[in-house]
Amino acid sequence: RISDLGIITTPALIFSVNLLKTDAGAIITASHNPSEYNGIKLVEKRAVSVPPKELLNHLETRSPKKEKGGFLKKTNILSSYVDFLSSFAKKEISGQFRLAADASNGAAGEMLKLLLNKLEISYWPLFFEPDGNFPNHSPNPLKKEAQQKAKELIIHRGADFGFILDADGDRIIFVDEKGKEIRGDLIIAFLIDHLVKKGDRVLTDSAASRIVFDVAEEKGVKAERARTGHLNIENAMREKKVFFAGEVSGHYYFKDFFFSSSGLLTLIHVLNILSGLRKTFSRALEPYERYFHSREYNFSASGGKIKNQKTAEEIIAVLKKKYAAGKQSFLDGLTVEYPEWWFNIRPSHTEPVIRLNIEADKKSLLQEKIKELASLVNGN
């Protein structure tokens, strides 16, 4: 028996597999990438993600056999999904916010409209209509041009804040009332501070600021880094019984959401917290702005090599030797830590780029290390 769920987000698929107790689930999606990158994301029972290699091995080794005929049934889960998400919302958020909401012409538009209306949240919609050509901006909300319309709307309308979802709805990027993008690791620290309880465990990725670990320590929470990517995060959460995890890219994972990420559930938690603080988003985040963090630098790696014809492995070998005096980790690429600064460099799992993140205690030191590392990566 197959249930056709229509146009839905990846988090809605995760919810549906658990709601309907199916043996598996599949969604055609390019995630945050343009439509030419379309593929299939698959999950097993209880919405446990299936690694691509495991799927290919299964398809290659399975012997064909005759199966009894099944049937296809159209199933609408939107109402049940919105009810589930709404169950996490506090009554206090009703009528308290005015938001700029950008669905990126992805799959989240209809459920986002239903959810915000149910919660009685005022909003100005941007690009709620699904369109795989993405005529208005990139489906990747981390790109500056993808944030521009929301930023303009916030300033023009005087919204309390805004957000941009990616095409399949599992990532969310926030923009404060001043039209400034909020880094993902500040949201991680914010959620740990207000959502996670003493004794809980949390995970974050290799690019996340030290503020995540500062806040976790202050709260009596055990924080660890994990390899980037939803498969790595989800598996580590289940194995270690982790309550919450966050990636700088805008993925936020919850034990209460089947150890998966959900942009809309993250939005609800942010609304819940802000409703109690009675502060603007920018003021609420001020306690977490203790360090100076670079933007993520992406070096094009066509054919696995950047412009200087070096591979990621060769670049990492150079940096490993150069910064041998620092504390080094190879969990995800190379991370080197010094008392006053640190950096991580790693090849992307989804794009032909090499990613570099740097953080320092002082702005002048950050600027110095950006120039130094960029020169080394480029082979100058």
Side-chain angles (χ1 to χ4, degrees):
R1 184 182 72 181
I2 298 175
S3 296
D4 179 359
L5 305 179
I7 297 176
I8 61 166
T9 61
T10 295
L13 172 72
I14 302 300
F15 167 78
S16 300
V17 169
N18 283 279
L19 173 72
L20 303 174
K21 295 181 170 56
T22 61
D23 295 314
I27 186 169
I28 297 173
T29 177
S31 186
H32 59 280
N33 295 307
S35 55
E36 58 265 30
Y37 289 89
N38 252 356
I40 301 177
K41 191 176 287 186
L42 291 145
V43 295
E44 299 177 299
K45 285 183 178 180
R46 296 182 296 280
V48 176
S49 294
V50 179
K53 287 184 179 178
E54 186 177 309
L55 172 67
L56 288 173
N57 289 338
H58 176 72
L59 292 175
E60 289 170 358
T61 58
R62 183 179 180 184
S63 58
K65 61 180 180 179
K66 291 184 178 180
E67 301 280 358
K68 292 183 179 180
F71 67 90
L72 176 67
K73 177 184 179 183
K74 289 190 177 294
T75 306
N76 190 328
I77 54 84
L78 284 186
S79 179
S80 297
Y81 184 48
V82 168
D83 286 346
F84 172 77
L85 291 173
S86 301
S87 69
F88 291 91
K90 294 180 179 178
K91 292 180 180 179
E92 291 82 359
I93 71 174
S94 175
Q96 193 178 144
F97 297 95
R98 300 185 308 159
L99 309 180
D102 189 339
S104 299
N105 289 119
E110 182 62 22
M111 60 188 66
L112 179 55
K113 180 177 72 174
L114 292 173
L115 178 65
L116 292 176
N117 288 342
K118 184 178 180 67
L119 298 178
E120 298 181 0
I121 301 292
S122 298
Y123 65 97
W124 291 280
L126 285 169
F127 318 129
F128 275 35
E129 307 79 14
D131 187 336
N133 294 313
F134 305 109
N136 295 292
H137 63 67
S138 165
N140 182 353
L142 275 178
K143 291 185 177 294
K144 297 301 179 185
E145 58 98 359
Q147 302 168 9
Q148 191 57 38
K149 292 295 183 182
K151 290 178 177 180
E152 291 173 0
L153 185 58
I154 290 167
I155 299 301
H156 178 65
R157 296 289 190 176
D160 294 305
F161 67 89
F163 61 90
I164 307 102
L165 297 168
D166 74 340
D168 71 334
D170 58 357
R171 292 170 61 186
I172 185 169
I173 298 299
F174 292 96
V175 179
D176 70 19
E177 78 285 354
K178 299 176 182 178
K180 179 184 176 183
E181 176 194 355
I182 300 170
R183 286 203 337 263
D185 41 15
L186 296 187
I187 296 293
I188 296 168
F190 180 67
L191 291 173
I192 291 173
D193 203 7
H194 296 281
L195 191 64
V196 181
K197 297 178 181 178
K198 183 178 181 179
D200 285 335
R201 303 184 73 165
V202 299
L203 293 175
T204 192
D205 63 358
S206 56
S209 168
R210 282 176 172 170
I211 188 60
V212 172
F213 296 88
D214 289 353
V215 173
E217 184 177 358
E218 291 161 10
K219 292 281 292 185
V221 169
K222 182 174 177 56
E224 298 176 47
R225 294 192 190 272
R227 289 193 69 209
T228 304
H230 77 96
L231 276 168
N232 300 317
I233 298 286
E234 291 167 15
N235 289 339
M237 286 184 75
R238 289 187 174 95
E239 179 186 336
K240 299 181 179 182
K241 296 180 173 59
V242 170
F243 178 78
F244 166 71
E247 293 181 281
V248 176
S249 61
H251 281 287
Y252 306 98
Y253 305 76
F254 304 91
K255 178 183 177 182
D256 292 342
F257 194 77
F258 319 106
F259 299 102
S260 296
S261 63
S262 167
L264 295 184
L265 182 55
T266 305
L267 172 64
I268 288 174
H269 283 308
V270 166
L271 290 169
N272 285 342
I273 296 166
L274 288 175
S275 70
L277 294 177
R278 299 284 179 171
K279 294 179 180 179
T280 62
F281 213 159
S282 62
R283 284 201 60 201
L285 292 171
E286 284 176 358
Y288 314 111
E289 295 179 339
R290 302 177 192 172
Y291 302 102
F292 294 90
H293 199 288
S294 71
R295 64 177 175 85
E296 183 168 80
Y297 289 89
N298 291 311
F299 298 87
S300 178
S302 178
K305 298 181 179 181
I306 64 171
K307 290 180 180 179
N308 63 14
Q309 293 300 302
K310 286 187 176 181
T311 65
E313 290 75 17
E314 290 171 332
I315 292 167
I316 286 173
V318 169
L319 298 182
K320 177 185 175 183
K321 183 177 180 180
K322 168 74 175 177
Y323 299 102
K327 179 183 177 182
Q328 297 189 350
S329 167
F330 301 92
L331 175 68
D332 201 357
L334 169 67
T335 300
V336 181
E337 295 183 74
Y338 291 90
E340 295 181 342
W341 74 286
W342 65 271
F343 74 89
N344 170 264
I345 187 165
R346 67 175 182 86
S348 169
H349 302 306
T350 57
E351 299 174 68
V353 297
I354 298 170
R355 306 192 193 280
L356 172 66
N357 285 271
I358 313 167
E359 184 174 74
D361 292 354
K362 296 179 180 179
K363 189 174 182 178
S364 58
L365 180 59
L366 175 65
Q367 292 171 337
E368 174 192 328
K369 295 304 177 184
I370 288 173
K371 291 180 182 178
E372 184 178 296
L373 279 156
S375 177
L376 287 166
V377 173
N378 284 318
N380 298 332

